[in-house]
Coordinates of all heavy atoms in Angstrom, one line a residue:
M28 N 12.2 5.3 7.8 CA 11.1 6.2 8.0 C 11.0 6.6 9.4 O 11.2 5.8 10.3 CB 9.8 5.6 7.5 CG 8.6 6.3 7.9 SD 7.1 5.6 7.3 CE 6.8 6.6 5.9
S29 N 10.8 7.9 9.7 CA 10.7 8.3 11.1 C 9.3 8.0 11.6 O 8.5 7.3 11.0 CB 10.9 9.8 11.1 OG 9.8 10.5 10.4
S30 N 9.0 8.5 12.8 CA 7.7 8.2 13.4 C 6.6 9.1 12.9 O 5.6 9.3 13.6 CB 7.9 8.3 14.9 OG 8.3 9.6 15.3
E31 N 6.7 9.7 11.8 CA 5.7 10.5 11.2 C 4.4 9.7 11.0 O 4.5 8.5 10.9 CB 6.2 11.1 9.9 CG 7.3 12.1 10.0 CD 7.8 12.6 8.7 OE1 7.0 12.7 7.7 OE2 9.0 12.9 8.5
T32 N 3.3 10.4 10.9 CA 2.0 9.7 10.6 C 1.9 9.3 9.2 O 2.6 9.9 8.3 CB 0.9 10.6 11.0 OG1 0.9 11.8 10.2 CG2 0.9 11.0 12.5
Y33 N 1.0 8.4 8.9 CA 0.8 8.0 7.5 C 0.4 9.1 6.6 O 0.7 9.1 5.4 CB -0.1 6.8 7.4 CG -1.6 7.1 7.6 CD1 -2.3 7.4 6.5 CD2 -2.2 7.1 8.8 CE1 -3.7 7.7 6.6 CE2 -3.5 7.4 8.9 CZ -4.3 7.7 7.8 OH -5.6 8.0 7.9
E34 N -0.3 10.1 7.1 CA -0.8 11.2 6.3 C 0.3 12.0 5.6 O 0.1 12.7 4.6 CB -1.7 12.2 7.1 CG -3.0 11.6 7.6 CD -2.9 11.0 9.0 OE1 -1.8 10.8 9.5 OE2 -4.0 10.9 9.6
S35 N 1.5 12.0 6.2 CA 2.6 12.7 5.7 C 3.4 12.1 4.5 O 4.2 12.7 3.8 CB 3.7 13.1 6.8 OG 4.2 11.8 7.2
I36 N 3.0 10.8 4.2 CA 3.6 10.1 3.1 C 3.2 10.7 1.8 O 2.0 10.9 1.6 CB 3.3 8.6 3.2 CG1 3.9 8.0 4.4 CG2 3.7 7.8 1.9 CD1 3.6 6.5 4.7
K37 N 4.1 10.9 0.9 CA 3.8 11.4 -0.4 C 3.7 10.2 -1.4 O 4.6 9.3 -1.4 CB 4.9 12.3 -0.9 CG 5.0 13.6 -0.1 CD 6.2 14.4 -0.6 CE 6.5 15.6 0.3 NZ 7.3 15.1 1.5
V38 N 2.6 10.1 -2.1 CA 2.4 9.0 -3.0 C 2.5 9.5 -4.4 O 1.8 10.4 -4.8 CB 1.0 8.3 -2.7 CG1 0.7 7.3 -3.8 CG2 0.9 7.8 -1.3
E39 N 3.3 8.8 -5.2 CA 3.5 9.1 -6.7 C 3.0 8.0 -7.5 O 3.2 6.8 -7.2 CB 4.9 9.4 -7.0 CG 5.5 10.6 -6.2 CD 7.0 10.8 -6.4 OE1 7.6 10.0 -7.2 OE2 7.6 11.7 -5.8
K40 N 2.2 8.3 -8.5 CA 1.6 7.3 -9.4 C 1.6 7.8 -10.8 O 1.4 9.0 -11.0 CB 0.2 6.9 -9.0 CG 0.0 6.5 -7.6 CD -1.5 6.4 -7.3 CE -2.1 7.8 -7.1 NZ -3.4 7.9 -6.5
T41 N 1.6 6.9 -11.8 CA 1.4 7.3 -13.2 C -0.1 7.4 -13.4 O -0.9 7.0 -12.6 CB 1.9 6.2 -14.1 OG1 1.2 5.0 -13.9 CG2 3.4 5.9 -13.9
D42 N -0.5 8.0 -14.5 CA -1.9 8.2 -14.8 C -2.5 6.8 -14.9 O -3.7 6.6 -14.5 CB -2.0 9.0 -16.1 CG -1.7 10.4 -15.9 OD1 -1.6 10.9 -14.8 OD2 -1.4 11.1 -17.0
Q43 N -1.8 5.9 -15.5 CA -2.4 4.5 -15.7 C -2.6 3.9 -14.3 O -3.7 3.3 -14.1 CB -1.4 3.7 -16.5 CG -1.9 2.3 -16.8 CD -0.9 1.5 -17.6 OE1 0.2 1.9 -17.9 NE2 -1.3 0.3 -18.0
V44 N -1.7 4.0 -13.4 CA -1.9 3.4 -12.1 C -3.1 4.1 -11.4 O -3.9 3.5 -10.7 CB -0.6 3.5 -11.2 CG1 -0.9 3.1 -9.8 CG2 0.4 2.5 -11.9
T45 N -3.1 5.5 -11.5 CA -4.2 6.2 -10.9 C -5.6 5.7 -11.4 O -6.5 5.5 -10.6 CB -4.1 7.7 -11.2 OG1 -2.8 8.2 -10.6 CG2 -5.2 8.5 -10.6
E46 N -5.7 5.5 -12.7 CA -7.0 5.0 -13.2 C -7.3 3.6 -12.7 O -8.4 3.3 -12.4 CB -6.9 5.0 -14.8 CG -6.9 6.3 -15.4 CD -6.8 6.3 -16.9 OE1 -7.0 5.2 -17.5 OE2 -6.4 7.3 -17.5
L47 N -6.3 2.8 -12.6 CA -6.5 1.4 -12.1 C -7.0 1.4 -10.7 O -7.9 0.7 -10.3 CB -5.2 0.6 -12.2 CG -5.2 -0.8 -11.7 CD1 -6.1 -1.7 -12.6 CD2 -3.8 -1.4 -11.7
L48 N -6.3 2.2 -9.9 CA -6.7 2.3 -8.4 C -8.1 2.9 -8.2 O -8.8 2.5 -7.4 CB -5.6 3.0 -7.6 CG -4.2 2.4 -7.7 CD1 -3.3 3.2 -6.8 CD2 -4.3 0.9 -7.3
E49 N -8.4 3.9 -9.1 CA -9.8 4.4 -9.0 C -10.8 3.4 -9.4 O -11.8 3.3 -8.7 CB -9.9 5.7 -9.9 CG -9.2 6.9 -9.4 CD -9.2 8.1 -10.4 OE1 -9.7 7.9 -11.5 OE2 -8.6 9.1 -10.0
A50 N -10.5 2.6 -10.4 CA -11.4 1.5 -10.8 C -11.6 0.5 -9.7 O -12.7 -0.1 -9.5 CB -11.0 0.9 -12.1
R51 N -10.5 0.2 -8.9 CA -10.5 -0.7 -7.8 C -11.0 -0.1 -6.5 O -11.0 -0.8 -5.5 CB -9.1 -1.3 -7.6 CG -8.7 -2.2 -8.8 CD -7.3 -2.7 -8.6 NE -7.0 -3.6 -9.7 CZ -5.8 -4.1 -9.9 NH1 -4.8 -3.9 -9.1 NH2 -5.5 -4.9 -11.0
K52 N -11.3 1.2 -6.6 CA -11.8 1.9 -5.4 C -10.8 1.9 -4.2 O -11.1 1.7 -3.1 CB -13.2 1.4 -5.0 CG -14.2 1.6 -6.0 CD -15.6 1.3 -5.6 CE -16.7 1.4 -6.6 NZ -16.5 2.0 -7.8
I53 N -9.5 2.0 -4.6 CA -8.4 2.1 -3.6 C -8.0 3.5 -3.5 O -7.5 4.1 -4.4 CB -7.3 1.1 -3.9 CG1 -7.8 -0.3 -4.0 CG2 -6.1 1.3 -2.9 CD1 -6.7 -1.3 -4.5
M54 N -8.1 4.1 -2.3 CA -7.8 5.5 -2.0 C -6.4 5.7 -1.6 O -5.7 4.7 -1.1 CB -8.7 6.0 -0.9 CG -10.2 5.7 -1.1 SD -10.9 6.5 -2.6 CE -10.9 8.2 -2.1
D55 N -5.9 6.9 -1.8 CA -4.5 7.2 -1.4 C -4.2 7.0 0.0 O -3.2 6.5 0.4 CB -4.1 8.6 -1.8 CG -3.8 8.8 -3.3 OD1 -3.8 7.8 -4.0 OD2 -3.6 10.0 -3.7
D56 N -5.2 7.3 0.9 CA -5.1 7.0 2.3 C -4.9 5.5 2.6 O -4.1 5.2 3.5 CB -6.3 7.6 3.1 CG -6.1 9.0 3.5 OD1 -5.0 9.6 3.3 OD2 -7.0 9.6 4.1
D57 N -5.6 4.7 1.9 CA -5.4 3.2 2.1 C -3.9 2.9 1.8 O -3.3 2.1 2.5 CB -6.3 2.4 1.2 CG -7.8 2.7 1.4 OD1 -8.2 2.9 2.6 OD2 -8.6 2.7 0.4
I58 N -3.4 3.4 0.7 CA -2.1 3.1 0.2 C -1.1 3.6 1.3 O -0.1 3.0 1.6 CB -1.8 3.7 -1.1 CG1 -2.6 3.0 -2.2 CG2 -0.3 3.7 -1.5 CD1 -2.7 3.6 -3.5
R59 N -1.3 4.9 1.7 CA -0.4 5.4 2.8 C -0.4 4.6 4.0 O 0.7 4.4 4.6 CB -0.9 6.9 3.1 CG -0.6 7.9 2.0 CD -1.0 9.3 2.5 NE -0.9 10.2 1.4 CZ -1.9 10.7 0.7 NH1 -3.1 10.3 0.9 NH2 -1.7 11.5 -0.3
M60 N -1.5 4.1 4.5 CA -1.5 3.3 5.7 C -0.7 2.0 5.5 O 0.0 1.6 6.4 CB -3.0 2.9 6.1 CG -3.7 4.1 6.7 SD -5.3 3.6 7.4 CE -6.3 3.6 5.9
V61 N -0.9 1.4 4.3 CA -0.1 0.1 4.0 C 1.4 0.4 4.0 O 2.2 -0.3 4.7 CB -0.5 -0.5 2.7 CG1 0.4 -1.7 2.3 CG2 -2.0 -0.9 2.7
I62 N 1.8 1.5 3.3 CA 3.2 1.8 3.3 C 3.8 2.2 4.6 O 4.9 1.8 5.0 CB 3.5 2.9 2.2 CG1 3.2 2.4 0.8 CG2 4.9 3.4 2.3 CD1 3.2 3.4 -0.3
H63 N 3.0 3.0 5.4 CA 3.4 3.4 6.7 C 3.7 2.2 7.6 O 4.7 2.1 8.3 CB 2.4 4.3 7.3 CG 2.8 4.9 8.7 ND1 2.4 4.3 9.8 CD2 3.6 5.9 9.0 CE1 2.9 4.9 10.9 NE2 3.7 5.9 10.4
N64 N 2.7 1.3 7.6 CA 2.9 0.0 8.4 C 4.1 -0.8 7.9 O 4.9 -1.2 8.8 CB 1.6 -0.8 8.2 CG 1.7 -2.1 9.1 OD1 1.6 -2.0 10.3 ND2 1.8 -3.2 8.5
A65 N 4.3 -0.9 6.6 CA 5.4 -1.7 6.1 C 6.7 -1.1 6.5 O 7.7 -1.8 6.9 CB 5.3 -1.8 4.6
E66 N 6.8 0.2 6.4 CA 8.1 0.9 6.6 C 8.4 1.0 8.1 O 9.6 1.0 8.5 CB 8.1 2.3 6.0 CG 8.1 2.2 4.4 CD 9.3 1.5 3.9 OE1 10.5 1.9 4.3 OE2 9.2 0.7 3.0
T67 N 7.4 1.2 9.0 CA 7.7 1.4 10.4 C 7.8 0.1 11.1 O 8.6 0.0 12.0 CB 6.5 2.2 11.1 OG1 5.3 1.6 10.9 CG2 6.5 3.6 10.6
K68 N 7.1 -1.0 10.6 CA 7.2 -2.3 11.3 C 8.1 -3.3 10.5 O 8.2 -4.4 10.9 CB 5.8 -2.8 11.5 CG 5.0 -2.0 12.4 CD 3.6 -2.7 12.7 CE 2.8 -1.9 13.6 NZ 1.5 -2.5 13.9
E69 N 8.6 -2.8 9.4 CA 9.4 -3.7 8.5 C 8.7 -4.9 8.1 O 9.2 -6.0 8.0 CB 10.7 -4.1 9.2 CG 11.7 -3.0 9.4 CD 12.3 -2.4 8.1 OE1 12.6 -3.3 7.2 OE2 12.3 -1.2 7.9
E70 N 7.4 -4.8 7.9 CA 6.5 -5.9 7.4 C 6.3 -5.7 5.9 O 5.2 -5.2 5.5 CB 5.2 -5.9 8.2 CG 5.4 -6.2 9.6 CD 4.1 -6.2 10.4 OE1 3.0 -6.0 9.8 OE2 4.1 -6.4 11.6
K71 N 7.3 -6.1 5.1 CA 7.2 -6.0 3.7 C 8.1 -7.1 3.1 O 9.0 -7.6 3.7 CB 7.7 -4.6 3.3 CG 9.1 -4.3 3.7 CD 9.5 -2.9 3.4 CE 10.8 -2.6 4.0 NZ 11.2 -1.2 3.9
L72 N 7.8 -7.4 1.8 CA 8.7 -8.3 1.1 C 9.5 -7.5 0.0 O 8.9 -6.6 -0.6 CB 7.8 -9.3 0.3 CG 6.9 -10.3 1.2 CD1 6.0 -11.1 0.4 CD2 7.8 -11.1 2.1
Y73 N 10.7 -7.9 -0.1 CA 11.6 -7.2 -1.1 C 11.6 -8.1 -2.4 O 11.8 -9.3 -2.3 CB 13.0 -7.1 -0.6 CG 14.0 -6.5 -1.6 CD1 13.9 -5.2 -2.1 CD2 15.0 -7.3 -2.1 CE1 14.8 -4.7 -3.0 CE2 15.9 -6.9 -3.1 CZ 15.8 -5.6 -3.5 OH 16.6 -5.1 -4.5
Q74 N 11.3 -7.5 -3.5 CA 11.3 -8.2 -4.8 C 12.7 -8.2 -5.3 O 13.2 -7.2 -5.9 CB 10.3 -7.6 -5.7 CG 8.9 -7.8 -5.2 CD 7.9 -7.2 -6.2 OE1 8.2 -7.0 -7.4 NE2 6.7 -7.0 -5.8
Q75 N 13.4 -9.4 -5.2 CA 14.8 -9.5 -5.5 C 15.0 -9.2 -7.0 O 14.2 -9.5 -7.9 CB 15.3 -10.9 -5.3 CG 16.7 -11.0 -5.1 CD 17.1 -12.4 -4.5 OE1 16.3 -13.3 -4.4 NE2 18.3 -12.5 -4.1
G76 N 16.0 -8.4 -7.3 CA 16.3 -8.0 -8.7 C 15.6 -6.8 -9.1 O 15.7 -6.4 -10.3
S77 N 14.9 -6.1 -8.2 CA 14.2 -4.9 -8.5 C 14.3 -4.0 -7.2 O 14.9 -4.4 -6.2 CB 12.8 -5.1 -8.8 OG 12.0 -5.4 -7.6
D78 N 13.8 -2.8 -7.3 CA 13.8 -1.9 -6.2 C 12.4 -1.9 -5.5 O 12.1 -0.9 -4.8 CB 14.2 -0.5 -6.6 CG 13.2 0.1 -7.6 OD1 12.4 -0.6 -8.2 OD2 13.3 1.3 -7.8
K79 N 11.6 -2.9 -5.8 CA 10.2 -2.9 -5.4 C 9.9 -3.7 -4.1 O 10.6 -4.7 -3.9 CB 9.3 -3.4 -6.5 CG 9.3 -2.6 -7.7 CD 8.4 -3.2 -8.8 CE 8.5 -2.4 -10.1 NZ 7.7 -3.1 -11.2
F80 N 8.9 -3.2 -3.4 CA 8.5 -3.9 -2.2 C 7.0 -4.3 -2.3 O 6.3 -3.6 -3.0 CB 8.7 -3.0 -0.9 CG 10.1 -2.7 -0.6 CD1 10.7 -1.5 -1.1 CD2 10.9 -3.6 0.1 CE1 12.0 -1.2 -0.8 CE2 12.2 -3.3 0.4 CZ 12.7 -2.1 -0.1
L81 N 6.6 -5.3 -1.6 CA 5.2 -5.7 -1.6 C 4.8 -5.7 -0.1 O 5.5 -6.3 0.7 CB 4.9 -7.0 -2.2 CG 3.5 -7.5 -2.2 CD1 2.6 -6.6 -3.0 CD2 3.4 -8.9 -2.7
A82 N 3.7 -5.0 0.2 CA 3.2 -5.0 1.6 C 1.7 -5.1 1.6 O 1.0 -4.9 0.7 CB 3.6 -3.6 2.2
K83 N 1.2 -5.6 2.8 CA -0.2 -5.7 3.0 C -0.6 -5.2 4.3 O 0.2 -5.2 5.3 CB -0.6 -7.2 2.8 CG -0.2 -8.1 3.9 CD -0.8 -9.5 3.7 CE -0.4 -10.4 4.9 NZ -1.1 -11.6 4.8
L84 N -1.9 -4.9 4.4 CA -2.4 -4.4 5.7 C -3.9 -4.7 5.7 O -4.6 -4.3 4.7 CB -2.1 -2.9 5.9 CG -2.7 -2.3 7.2 CD1 -2.0 -2.9 8.4 CD2 -2.5 -0.8 7.2
R85 N -4.4 -5.3 6.8 CA -5.8 -5.5 6.9 C -6.4 -4.3 7.7 O -6.0 -3.9 8.7 CB -6.1 -6.7 7.7 CG -7.6 -7.1 7.8 CD -7.8 -8.4 8.5 NE -9.2 -8.7 8.7 CZ -9.9 -9.5 8.0 NH1 -9.4 -10.2 7.0 NH2 -11.2 -9.6 8.2
V86 N -7.4 -3.7 7.1 CA -8.2 -2.5 7.6 C -9.6 -3.0 7.7 O -10.3 -3.1 6.6 CB -8.0 -1.3 6.8 CG1 -8.8 -0.1 7.4 CG2 -6.5 -0.9 6.7
A87 N -10.2 -3.2 8.9 CA -11.5 -3.7 9.1 C -11.6 -5.0 8.3 O -10.9 -5.9 8.6 CB -12.6 -2.7 8.6
D88 N -12.5 -5.1 7.4 CA -12.7 -6.4 6.7 C -12.1 -6.4 5.3 O -12.4 -7.3 4.4 CB -14.2 -6.8 6.6 CG -15.0 -5.8 5.8 OD1 -14.5 -4.7 5.6 OD2 -16.2 -6.1 5.5
V89 N -11.2 -5.5 5.0 CA -10.5 -5.4 3.7 C -9.0 -5.5 3.9 O -8.4 -4.9 4.8 CB -10.8 -4.1 3.0 CG1 -10.1 -4.0 1.7 CG2 -12.3 -3.9 2.8
T90 N -8.4 -6.4 3.1 CA -6.9 -6.5 3.1 C -6.4 -5.8 1.8 O -6.8 -6.1 0.7 CB -6.4 -7.9 3.1 OG1 -7.0 -8.6 4.3 CG2 -4.9 -8.0 3.2
F91 N -5.5 -4.8 2.0 CA -4.9 -4.1 0.9 C -3.5 -4.6 0.7 O -2.7 -4.8 1.6 CB -4.8 -2.6 1.2 CG -6.2 -1.9 1.4 CD1 -6.8 -1.8 2.6 CD2 -6.9 -1.5 0.2 CE1 -8.0 -1.2 2.7 CE2 -8.1 -0.9 0.4 CZ -8.7 -0.8 1.6
Y92 N -3.1 -4.7 -0.6 CA -1.8 -5.1 -1.0 C -1.2 -3.9 -1.9 O -1.9 -3.5 -2.8 CB -1.8 -6.4 -1.8 CG -2.3 -7.5 -1.1 CD1 -3.7 -7.8 -1.0 CD2 -1.4 -8.4 -0.4 CE1 -4.2 -8.9 -0.3 CE2 -1.9 -9.5 0.3 CZ -3.3 -9.7 0.3 OH -3.8 -10.8 1.0
V93 N 0.0 -3.5 -1.6 CA 0.6 -2.4 -2.4 C 2.0 -2.8 -2.8 O 2.8 -3.2 -2.0 CB 0.6 -1.1 -1.6 CG1 1.3 0.0 -2.4 CG2 -0.8 -0.7 -1.1
E94 N 2.3 -2.6 -4.1 CA 3.6 -2.8 -4.6 C 4.2 -1.4 -4.8 O 3.6 -0.6 -5.5 CB 3.6 -3.5 -6.0 CG 5.0 -3.8 -6.6 CD 4.9 -4.5 -7.9 OE1 4.8 -5.7 -7.9 OE2 4.9 -3.8 -8.9
Y95 N 5.3 -1.1 -4.2 CA 5.9 0.3 -4.3 C 7.4 0.3 -4.2 O 8.0 -0.8 -4.0 CB 5.3 1.1 -3.1 CG 5.8 0.6 -1.7 CD1 6.9 1.2 -1.1 CD2 5.2 -0.5 -1.1 CE1 7.4 0.8 0.1 CE2 5.7 -0.9 0.2 CZ 6.8 -0.3 0.7 OH 7.2 -0.7 2.0
S96 N 7.9 1.4 -4.5 CA 9.4 1.6 -4.4 C 9.6 3.0 -3.8 O 8.8 3.9 -3.8 CB 10.1 1.5 -5.7 OG 9.6 2.3 -6.7
L97 N 10.8 3.2 -3.2 CA 11.2 4.5 -2.6 C 11.4 5.5 -3.7 O 12.1 5.2 -4.7 CB 12.5 4.3 -1.8 CG 13.0 5.5 -1.0 CD1 12.0 5.9 0.0 CD2 14.3 5.2 -0.3
A98 N 10.9 6.7 -3.6 CA 11.0 7.7 -4.6 C 11.8 8.9 -4.0 O 12.0 9.9 -4.7 CB 9.6 8.2 -5.1
G99 N 12.1 8.9 -2.7 CA 12.8 10.0 -2.1 C 12.4 10.1 -0.6 O 11.6 9.2 -0.1
E100 N 12.8 11.1 0.1 CA 12.5 11.2 1.5 C 11.0 11.3 1.7 O 10.4 12.3 1.3 CB 13.3 12.4 2.1 CG 13.1 12.5 3.6 CD 13.7 11.4 4.4 OE1 14.8 10.9 4.0 OE2 13.1 11.0 5.4
G101 N 10.4 10.3 2.3 CA 9.0 10.4 2.6 C 8.1 10.2 1.4 O 6.9 10.5 1.5
A102 N 8.7 9.8 0.2 CA 7.9 9.7 -1.0 C 8.1 8.3 -1.5 O 9.2 7.7 -1.5 CB 8.3 10.7 -2.0
Y103 N 7.0 7.8 -2.1 CA 7.0 6.4 -2.6 C 6.2 6.4 -3.9 O 5.2 7.0 -4.1 CB 6.3 5.4 -1.6 CG 7.0 5.4 -0.3 CD1 6.7 6.3 0.7 CD2 8.1 4.5 -0.1 CE1 7.4 6.3 1.9 CE2 8.7 4.5 1.1 CZ 8.4 5.4 2.1 OH 9.1 5.4 3.3
T104 N 6.8 5.6 -4.9 CA 6.1 5.4 -6.1 C 5.3 4.1 -6.0 O 5.8 3.0 -5.7 CB 7.1 5.2 -7.3 OG1 7.9 6.4 -7.4 CG2 6.4 4.9 -8.6
V105 N 4.0 4.2 -6.3 CA 3.1 3.1 -6.3 C 3.0 2.5 -7.7 O 2.7 3.2 -8.6 CB 1.7 3.5 -5.8 CG1 0.7 2.3 -5.8 CG2 1.8 4.0 -4.4
H106 N 3.3 1.2 -7.8 CA 3.3 0.5 -9.1 C 2.0 -0.2 -9.3 O 1.5 -0.2 -10.4 CB 4.4 -0.5 -9.2 CG 5.8 0.1 -8.9 ND1 6.4 0.9 -9.9 CD2 6.6 0.2 -7.8 CE1 7.5 1.4 -9.4 NE2 7.7 0.9 -8.2
T107 N 1.4 -0.7 -8.3 CA 0.0 -1.3 -8.4 C -0.5 -1.6 -6.9 O 0.3 -1.5 -6.0 CB 0.0 -2.6 -9.2 OG1 -1.4 -3.0 -9.4 CG2 0.7 -3.7 -8.5
A108 N -1.7 -1.8 -6.8 CA -2.4 -2.1 -5.5 C -3.7 -2.9 -5.8 O -4.3 -2.7 -6.9 CB -2.6 -0.9 -4.7
Y109 N -4.0 -3.7 -4.9 CA -5.3 -4.4 -5.0 C -5.8 -4.8 -3.6 O -5.0 -4.6 -2.6 CB -5.1 -5.7 -5.9 CG -4.1 -6.7 -5.5 CD1 -4.4 -7.8 -4.7 CD2 -2.8 -6.5 -5.9 CE1 -3.4 -8.6 -4.3 CE2 -1.8 -7.4 -5.5 CZ -2.1 -8.5 -4.7 OH -1.1 -9.3 -4.3
S110 N -7.0 -5.2 -3.5 CA -7.6 -5.5 -2.2 C -8.5 -6.7 -2.3 O -9.0 -7.0 -3.4 CB -8.3 -4.3 -1.7 OG -9.4 -4.0 -2.5
H111 N -8.8 -7.2 -1.2 CA -9.9 -8.2 -1.1 C -10.7 -8.1 0.2 O -10.1 -7.7 1.2 CB -9.5 -9.7 -1.4 CG -8.6 -10.2 -0.3 ND1 -9.1 -10.8 0.8 CD2 -7.3 -10.3 -0.2 CE1 -8.1 -11.3 1.6 NE2 -7.0 -11.0 1.0
R112 N -11.9 -8.3 0.1 CA -12.8 -8.2 1.3 C -13.1 -9.6 1.8 O -13.4 -10.5 1.0 CB -14.1 -7.5 0.9 CG -15.0 -7.2 2.0 CD -16.2 -6.3 1.6 NE -15.8 -5.1 0.9 CZ -15.5 -4.0 1.6 NH1 -15.6 -3.9 2.9 NH2 -15.1 -2.9 0.9
T113 N -13.1 -9.7 3.1 CA -13.4 -11.0 3.7 C -14.4 -10.9 4.8 O -14.4 -9.9 5.5 CB -12.2 -11.7 4.3 OG1 -11.6 -10.9 5.2 CG2 -11.2 -12.1 3.2
E114 N -15.3 -11.8 4.9 CA -16.3 -11.8 6.0 C -16.3 -13.2 6.6 O -16.5 -14.2 5.9 CB -17.7 -11.5 5.5 CG -17.8 -10.0 5.1 CD -19.2 -9.7 4.8 OE1 -20.2 -10.2 5.3 OE2 -19.4 -8.8 3.9
L115 N -15.9 -13.3 7.8 CA -16.0 -14.6 8.5 C -17.2 -14.7 9.4 O -17.4 -13.8 10.2 CB -14.7 -14.8 9.3 CG -13.4 -14.8 8.5 CD1 -12.2 -14.9 9.4 CD2 -13.3 -15.9 7.5
G116 N -17.9 -15.7 9.3 CA -19.1 -15.9 10.1 C -19.1 -17.1 10.9 O -18.4 -18.1 10.6
E117 N -19.9 -17.2 11.9 CA -20.0 -18.4 12.7 C -21.0 -19.3 12.2 O -22.1 -18.8 11.6 CB -20.3 -18.0 14.2 CG -19.2 -17.2 14.9 CD -19.5 -16.9 16.3 OE1 -20.2 -17.8 16.9 OE2 -19.1 -15.9 16.8
E118 N -20.8 -20.6 12.3 CA -21.8 -21.5 11.8 C -22.7 -22.0 13.0 O -22.4 -22.0 14.1 CB -21.1 -22.7 11.2 CG -20.4 -22.3 9.9 CD -19.9 -23.5 9.2 OE1 -20.3 -24.6 9.4 OE2 -19.0 -23.3 8.4

């Protein structure tokens, strides 16, 4: 991946994945940021025996996880994504 911004990433999803991500309130921009970080910094896990990668990125108090594969130049197929919110407080 070149030094393009995350906004230029093309995200492809099935209708089923789209519905799942909408229910989880995960936006395409969140997914693009995770993939951009993974591809530019090589911070991703390769799932052996498949063409899939798993990447994560913390944005504010939410950590996003995205499972994806390469779909073409600047395009990625999203297989699933999830997130969790954390709040750390002082005692």
Side-chain angles (χ1 to χ4, degrees):
M28 170 177 260
S29 67
S30 61
E31 296 177 28
T32 63
Y33 77 89
E34 291 96 341
S35 64
I36 292 176
K37 296 176 190 79
V38 173
E39 300 175 358
K40 305 173 283 192
T41 63
D42 290 342
Q43 182 179 5
V44 170
T45 298
E46 288 177 19
L47 177 67
L48 299 182
E49 285 175 358
R51 293 178 176 173
K52 299 188 182 348
I53 298 174
M54 309 299 289
D55 283 354
D56 272 353
D57 301 325
I58 291 168
R59 287 184 187 102
M60 284 189 279
V61 174
I62 293 173
H63 183 264
N64 183 72
E66 294 296 315
T67 57
K68 296 184 178 180
E69 291 294 317
E70 293 180 0
K71 59 188 175 183
L72 297 173
Y73 175 69
Q74 296 182 14
Q75 203 165 12
S77 75
D78 63 347
K79 297 178 184 176
F80 295 94
L81 178 65
K83 71 175 184 173
L84 180 67
R85 185 176 173 104
V86 179
D88 62 346
V89 179
T90 303
F91 294 96
Y92 299 85
V93 178
E94 181 182 278
Y95 68 95
S96 57
L97 183 62
E100 185 64 38
Y103 300 87
T104 300
V105 175
H106 303 285
T107 192
Y109 54 97
S110 66
H111 68 84
R112 183 175 304 274
T113 56
E114 290 184 34
L115 301 176
E117 294 184 31
E118 292 186 22

